[in-house]
Amino acid sequence: TGVQTCALPISDSIVKIFSSLTLEELITVPIFSTISSVTFSPNGRFLLVSTTDNISYLFDANSGNNIKKIEGTRAMYSPDGNLILTSNMDSIGLIYDVATFGIVKSFKCRKLHFSDFVFSPDSKSVLCSSWDGSAFIFDVSSGKELNVLTDIETANFSMAFSSDSRFVILGNYDGNARVFDAITGIEQ
């Protein structure tokens, strides 16, 4: 519709969609479970809401209608909008094809549960971290682990790929940020 919107979890179980320009409330989406993450699709047409009961809901952002339920306590879209990545309580990452909602790949975090994950800007890799501070890069097409980037005692609270997908930065709870080559896994 061309309307710029934002989505906010208003309580544990309600998401409201607002106009970013006027802050007018456009839609209320009841979830009936505790919300763990909220994100729009890259084209802004869909809202992905994840819950602590291991279900992620896909809503039409214009109508608020529920379109699909998939497994996952947290979820995000790939930058190209073709994939959805979810993590579940068993430390398994699931990659869904947006066109079919079929699972195209899965991978397991070798350590503790996922603390965070992010797609590379080219949508070819996924960076995951676990609560023990370990971080891993997985190949989206094969689901195989490409690199282990760190093995420290402090969990990562923030992480990102560089715009060319060549480097990753990890922000740790110990106050340090570390940069790694995404291909070699070597700290810079």
Side-chain angles (χ1 to χ4, degrees), residues 12-41:
D12 281 350
S13 59
I14 294 175
V15 174
K16 292 191 178 201
I17 299 176
F18 296 89
S19 164
S20 298
L21 302 175
T22 66
L23 299 182
E24 172 191 0
E25 181 182 325
L26 303 174
I27 297 173
T28 298
V29 181
I31 306 299
F32 306 110
S33 184
T34 303
I35 297 165
S36 55
S37 68
V38 176
T39 187
F40 278 103
S41 61

Side-chain angles (χ1 to χ4, degrees), residues 9 29-30 41 45 47-48 50 59 75-76 82 100-101 118-119 124 137 142 145 148 150 164 168 172:
V29 181
S41 61
R45 293 180 47 214
L47 181 67
L48 189 57
S50 300
F59 294 95
M76 72 179 316
N82 295 324
T100 65
F101 289 103
V118 65
F119 274 101
K124 294 181 180 178
I137 296 179
S142 69
E145 183 181 292
V148 178
T150 184
D164 62 0
V168 297
N172 303 101

Side-chain angles (χ1 to χ4, degrees), residues 92-150:
I92 295 174
L94 300 173
I95 300 174
Y96 291 85
D97 180 294
V98 171
T100 65
F101 289 103
I103 297 172
V104 293
K105 291 292 172 209
S106 66
F107 53 89
K108 181 154 177 62
C109 187
R110 293 189 296 154
K111 304 277 183 164
L112 302 171
H113 297 295
F114 289 116
S115 61
D116 200 7
F117 54 82
V118 65
F119 274 101
S120 60
D122 63 8
S123 301
K124 294 181 180 178
S125 302
V126 172
L127 174 61
C128 301
S129 66
S130 68
W131 286 108
D132 71 348
S134 300
F136 309 90
I137 296 179
F138 292 91
D139 178 71
V140 169
S141 63
S142 69
K144 297 202 183 301
E145 183 181 292
L146 300 175
N147 276 312
V148 178
L149 299 180
T150 184

Side-chain angles (χ1 to χ4, degrees), residues 53-69:
D53 62 0
N54 206 36
I55 298 174
S56 291
Y57 299 90
L58 184 69
F59 294 95
D60 180 296
N62 292 318
S63 68
N65 292 334
N66 185 3
I67 297 170
K68 188 77 175 172
K69 289 193 300 190

